[in-house]
Amino acid sequence: MNKPRYKHNIEPDYNRPLFEIPIDSKRKIINILTLLYGSEVSRQVYPELERIMKVYYAHKTQELIEWEKTFDRSDIFSLEDVILITYGDIVKKNSEKPLKVLADFCRDYFSNSFNTVHILPFFPYSSDRGFSVKDFEEVDPNIGTWADIEDLNYDFKLMFDGVFNHISSKSKWFQEFLNGNPDFKHFFIVLSTKEMISEDHLKLIIRPRTSPLFTEFQTIEGPKLVWTTFSSDQVDLNFHNPKVLLKMIDIFLTYVRRGADLVRLDAVTYLWEELGTDCIHLKQTHAIIKLFRVILDTVAPYVALITETNVPHEQNIQYFGNGYDEAQMVYNFALPPLVYHAFINNNTAYLTKWAQTIQKVSDQATYFNFLDSHDGIGLLPVKEILPDNEIEKLVYETIEKGGFISYRTDSDGKYSPYELNITWYSAINGNYQHADDTMKLKRYVASRAIAIFFIGIPGIYIHGLIGSENDVEAVLKEKHTRSINREIIDGSVLKEKLDDKSSLISRIVSELNNLINIKKNEKLFHPNCLQIVYNLSEKLFAFERRAEKGDDFVFCVINVTEKRTSFVLSEGLVKTENTFKNLVSGYIMNYKKNEQIEIDPYEIVILKTVKNKSGV
């Protein structure tokens, strides 16, 4: 039985018996609330949290309730899962509502490849391209309505952003705080004077930006300093106040009710602030993610959490918890800078060494493999993987290719590179001037193949899908380095280029669609299958995918150089003589033990054993 298309009713149905929270779920929830607020407050908070869960459950259709009885949580991800990342208004066409334009493009050009659409924040906002949310529960009327979201959800799974760390200073919540409304008095982290926090405590706090940590606002009670991690317009919410937590849980379940199959917890690293600590990765932050997970497992087990934590790799993967109790997916943040490094240096040594540490997490958790996004290529994730001089090379290469660098403030007050702002196409091909379009296409597609076939779920940002180059004019106009990869696309022009099979955009989309469909049609690329990474050559990136039981495997080799090279299949893959099918070319090949296999510049080879030379 497939998941119902219509999962929730507009109104709750209280004619049915109310949902009973299982004892085990109740125990887990109370334990987490006790860790956050103590036992007395926990007992006061729990009844309201249970009410929110029961109200959500009452909106579920009976069809969904029956389907969930058969749902196996190890099936939360599948071979079909490939995610298109896009803003709701990045494609515009005449006077049509952008969400409708996006839905039409997704159906007409991308439905055979992508089954999920991540619509970046589509709420009313005041800055940061949607990430300074004014109203968590409304769709920005400039791009569409909830009906448009529901229409897209009819054909695609959806990922929503839970921008729960902060809210816009122009939001009603914050305006009520400024006006002295007692209901919002403790919704934000407030100091009366700078002297309330010591210089030593300030130095401990890890910063992702160079902007001030506190912003002064005039309130009905006089000037107040308010904690603003990301910008003066993005005011951190105070999760020390259980009313804030309850409100965000209610919004979280509203997103599920409105069609979210995945919820991306934006900047969740910074969710809980505690003076005297670095205010990052705190046990309370992990506890809140675990709470979201328990709630989903209890009332919406098919919905997955994904954490966005742009931090060093070893810290990033801590958000899996034990593989069953925290995020089902984490952004594989080390992958983009390492792939970028491999292609600009014609050397996979660092990528291979790191990739050999990446293993299956559990049957319910995996990696989200991406190369580009609406932001940039983070450098913190490889801080302990690449030497400083290699990171400096990435910075230099990015500037040489017309990109920009975003900075953060270190504990010593100095600025250090935080993020490379450049489109993926410009990063890979920006100064590859002596090559023709065909070679640039091969180089670009080869880089993207790594993220498509690597263990996990692949996601492609829309500008990466169509091979957009740097939009420097937008950076100069908007005075924001991330604008380089956020160009608004003319829908009519895009349609014309997609329909022209000779255009570079059409060729890129076609090649990527072919790779995605190879991935979707080969069961050994399921995210729950195992992976072994091989060190064949510094010119090649090679890995094997296989099931936990049986001898079948697929072997992937990608040449990251413009030179023809060769490799030998390991003894574990070829005993004496094996027949393989190259899933990319379709050719059937017979290889003997220790035989040299030639591979062209930027070629992608995916070998699968077949029973005989005919491929049957």
Side-chain angles (χ1 to χ4, degrees):
M1 178 181 179
N2 293 325
K3 183 171 63 180
R5 287 187 182 272
Y6 295 105
K7 304 186 285 288
H8 299 88
N9 296 310
I10 297 174
E11 301 293 335
D13 183 357
Y14 294 124
N15 291 314
R16 299 182 305 212
L18 290 176
F19 178 65
E20 291 296 325
I21 310 296
I23 294 297
D24 185 55
S25 296
K26 182 175 181 178
R27 176 183 56 79
K28 290 178 181 178
I29 291 170
I30 290 175
N31 286 343
I32 293 171
L33 292 175
T34 300
L35 184 154
L36 294 172
Y37 306 116
S39 57
E40 182 177 346
V41 175
S42 171
R43 287 194 296 270
Q44 297 169 6
V45 171
Y46 177 78
E48 174 61 10
L49 196 158
E50 183 174 295
R51 182 195 68 81
I52 291 169
M53 293 170 68
K54 288 184 175 181
V55 170
Y56 161 76
Y57 198 89
H59 282 85
K60 294 166 73 167
T61 64
Q62 191 61 41
E63 187 182 8
L64 177 61
I65 292 171
E66 293 302 317
W67 174 80
E68 284 182 348
K69 292 176 181 177
T70 67
F71 178 71
D72 184 340
R73 287 178 191 159
S74 65
D75 293 330
I76 196 160
F77 301 122
S78 75
L79 274 173
E80 296 296 311
D81 291 330
V82 184
I83 301 172
L84 176 67
I85 308 165
T86 178
Y87 284 101
D89 61 350
I90 208 162
V91 183
K92 290 191 174 180
K93 187 178 179 184
N94 302 323
S95 59
E96 294 181 55
K97 284 292 185 182
L99 280 175
K100 183 182 183 304
V101 175
L102 175 65
D104 289 344
F105 265 95
C106 287
R107 292 189 183 103
D108 292 346
Y109 294 100
F110 310 138
S111 61
N112 290 331
S113 304
F114 298 89
N115 75 330
T116 304
V117 180
H118 172 198
I119 317 173
L120 289 156
F122 48 79
F123 318 107
Y125 69 96
S126 55
S127 64
D128 198 16
R129 196 61 168 87
F131 285 90
S132 187
V133 179
K134 291 167 63 176
D135 189 332
F136 289 116
E137 299 179 79
E138 294 297 329
V139 176
D140 184 348
N142 294 310
I143 69 170
T145 65
W146 279 117
D148 295 316
I149 300 289
E150 183 180 294
D151 179 60
L152 186 59
N153 192 210
Y154 187 82
D155 293 297
F156 297 90
K157 291 165 57 176
L158 298 179
M159 185 195 295
F160 288 11
D161 279 281
V163 191
F164 298 156
N165 179 74
H166 48 261
I167 194 169
S168 168
S169 66
K170 309 300 188 298
S171 65
K172 182 179 179 181
W173 291 10
F174 192 66
Q175 294 305 307
E176 289 297 322
F177 160 77
L178 297 179
N179 295 338
N181 184 334
D183 290 341
F184 292 89
K185 183 176 181 179
H186 300 294
F187 261 54
F188 309 99
I189 302 167
V190 183
L191 301 180
S192 297
T193 66
K194 291 182 179 179
E195 287 69 34
M196 290 183 67
I197 178 170
S198 72
E199 194 64 29
D200 288 339
H201 281 174
L202 276 174
K203 288 181 179 179
L204 286 173
I205 298 170
I206 292 178
R207 299 302 319 286
R209 298 288 184 272
T210 58
S211 57
L213 179 61
F214 289 94
T215 302
E216 184 175 280
F217 290 91
Q218 293 297 326
T219 78
I220 196 172
E221 298 173 347
K224 300 286 185 183
L225 291 169
V226 182
W227 197 302
T228 51
T229 295
F230 289 94
S231 78
S232 60
D233 187 45
Q234 293 165 291
V235 185
D236 287 54
L237 290 161
N238 179 21
F239 281 87
H240 287 260
N241 178 359
K243 289 183 180 179
V244 172
L245 177 66
L246 289 170
K247 184 60 181 173
M248 301 320 286
I249 289 171
D250 191 20
I251 290 167
F252 175 68
L253 288 177
T254 297
Y255 292 170
V256 176
R257 182 165 58 84
R258 288 290 196 173
D261 294 279
L262 302 98
V263 179
R264 173 185 180 270
L265 299 179
D266 175 68
V268 71
T269 313
Y270 305 92
L271 203 64
W272 189 280
E273 293 88 352
E274 196 77 48
L275 292 179
T277 74
D278 56 11
C279 296
I280 186 171
H281 313 306
L282 298 185
K283 64 180 181 180
Q284 293 91 341
T285 294
H286 283 280
I288 291 172
I289 299 170
K290 291 177 192 289
L291 178 60
F292 285 142
R293 176 66 182 269
V294 174
I295 291 169
L296 286 182
D297 284 350
T298 304
V299 297
Y302 65 90
V303 177
L305 283 176
I306 176 169
T307 51
E308 189 262 344
T309 53
N310 191 357
V311 296
H313 177 72
E314 289 304 317
Q315 297 169 8
N316 183 34
I317 60 177
Q318 297 304 310
Y319 288 86
F320 281 127
N322 64 16
Y324 296 93
D325 66 346
E326 213 163 324
Q328 284 104 329
M329 274 205 294
V330 302
Y331 274 71
N332 208 350
F333 270 110
L335 188 64
L338 288 172
V339 173
Y340 183 25
H341 181 275
F343 275 80
I344 65 176
N345 290 285
N346 301 309
N347 190 310
T348 62
Y350 288 107
L351 172 63
T352 295
K353 184 177 179 181
W354 165 80
Q356 287 175 330
T357 71
I358 303 300
Q359 304 292 332
K360 175 181 173 180
V361 181
S362 76
D363 287 335
Q364 298 180 27
T366 195
Y367 293 89
F368 181 50
N369 296 326
F370 73 111
L371 295 179
D372 50 354
S373 73
H374 60 288
D375 289 340
I377 301 170
L379 294 174
L380 276 181
V382 290
K383 190 175 178 63
E384 297 168 5
I385 300 171
L386 291 177
D388 289 345
N389 66 311
E390 295 296 333
I391 292 177
E392 288 172 7
K393 285 182 186 177
L394 292 179
V395 170
Y396 176 78
E397 280 280 342
T398 299
I399 294 171
E400 282 285 295
K401 293 171 178 175
F404 296 89
I405 311 300
S406 296
Y407 292 86
R408 61 187 286 268
T409 303
D410 292 331
S411 58
D412 59 4
K414 295 180 180 179
Y415 292 173
S416 64
Y418 174 75
E419 183 180 81
L420 310 175
N421 301 120
I422 188 169
T423 71
W424 190 256
Y425 189 87
S426 292
I428 295 299
N429 283 324
N431 55 4
Y432 194 44
Q433 300 301 330
H434 62 284
D436 60 19
D437 279 352
T438 297
M439 188 61 76
K440 287 182 177 180
L441 174 65
K442 288 190 66 175
R443 178 178 166 94
Y444 186 69
V445 172
S447 73
R448 303 218 71 107
I450 294 174
I452 290 172
F453 297 111
F454 201 70
I455 187 170
I457 303 293
I460 302 179
Y461 181 50
I462 190 165
H463 277 300
L465 178 65
I466 63 175
S468 297
E469 297 187 57
N470 292 336
D471 186 8
V472 178
E473 287 185 12
V475 175
L476 299 176
K477 179 181 178 181
E478 299 171 17
K479 296 180 173 56
H480 201 302
T481 57
R482 286 177 168 175
S483 298
I484 201 167
N485 200 18
R486 298 176 177 178
E487 181 184 3
I488 299 299
I489 303 165
D490 184 314
S492 298
V493 173
L494 179 59
K495 183 179 188 305
E496 181 180 328
K497 290 184 176 180
L498 287 170
D499 289 340
D500 177 4
K501 302 306 179 185
S502 65
S503 75
L504 183 60
I505 284 179
S506 180
R507 292 167 69 193
I508 290 172
V509 171
S510 176
E511 291 283 343
L512 294 179
N513 282 345
N514 287 340
L515 294 184
I516 288 169
N517 280 290
I518 290 171
K519 179 260 177 199
K520 290 169 63 173
N521 288 310
E522 173 48 61
K523 64 181 181 180
L524 295 174
F525 286 122
H526 191 286
N528 286 347
C529 285
L530 303 180
Q531 176 171 280
I532 302 171
V533 176
Y534 291 87
N535 187 8
L536 298 183
S537 160
E538 290 184 345
K539 296 179 181 179
L540 306 173
F541 184 61
F543 57 98
E544 167 195 344
R545 300 293 308 278
R546 65 164 66 233
E548 291 191 79
K549 298 179 180 179
D551 296 326
D552 284 350
F553 65 87
V554 285
F555 192 72
C556 307
V557 185
I558 298 160
N559 187 349
V560 305
T561 77
E562 61 182 358
K563 304 293 185 182
R564 184 175 173 84
T565 188
S566 63
F567 65 94
V568 176
L569 287 174
S570 73
E571 192 171 314
L573 298 176
V574 180
K575 303 300 181 184
T576 53
E577 183 175 358
N578 278 76
T579 301
F580 294 93
K581 180 177 182 180
N582 184 341
L583 299 183
V584 178
S585 67
Y587 294 152
I588 303 298
M589 293 162 283
N590 211 34
Y591 290 131
K592 295 179 181 179
K593 182 178 176 182
N594 297 324
E595 181 180 351
Q596 292 278 338
I597 301 173
E598 296 292 319
I599 182 168
D600 286 334
Y602 304 117
E603 186 178 1
I604 304 157
V605 173
I606 302 178
L607 302 177
K608 183 179 181 184
T609 52
V610 293
K611 293 181 180 179
N612 55 49
K613 293 182 182 180
S614 66
V616 179

